Amino acid sequence: MKANVTLKLDAGLLREARVLAAEEGRSLSALLAERLEALVRERRVYDRARRRALARLRDGLDLHWTPPRSRDELHER
């Protein structure tokens, strides 16, 4: 389902946007819809990556680290 939206734009910006859309062979509506969809998609990808990164920080990573042996242990004969 699609809905209509009313925008208030500066006249110069509107003129340039119409030219840009015409150069791309599309309507101003299609141009704006595509750009908004891209912004929303990027935001979703960013939010998903951020949540994964925060979960990794919260859970930590197992680096299989063991403390180094003491000097005495290293030199046992």
Side-chain angles (χ1 to χ4, degrees):
M1 181 176 133
K2 294 189 177 196
N4 290 329
V5 175
T6 302
L7 297 174
K8 291 185 180 187
L9 301 173
D10 179 68
L13 175 62
L14 179 58
R15 186 172 36 258
E16 289 185 45
R18 284 181 175 154
V19 168
L20 194 111
E23 288 173 350
E24 294 185 13
R26 55 189 3 176
S27 69
L28 181 59
S29 179
L31 177 73
L32 291 173
E34 179 189 322
R35 299 295 169 100
L36 286 173
E37 287 170 1
L39 283 171
V40 169
R41 188 173 42 254
E42 289 171 11
R43 178 65 180 260
R44 284 183 188 149
V45 169
Y46 172 81
D47 286 343
R48 204 170 322 132
R50 184 176 185 274
R51 282 193 304 273
R52 280 195 315 263
L54 289 174
R56 286 184 187 129
L57 287 173
R58 195 172 36 255
D59 298 341
L61 295 174
D62 183 9
L63 300 176
H64 305 289
W65 182 82
T66 56
R69 294 186 290 174
S70 70
R71 184 172 191 270
D72 292 333
E73 289 174 327
L74 290 173
H75 296 287
E76 281 180 359
R77 295 176 198 210

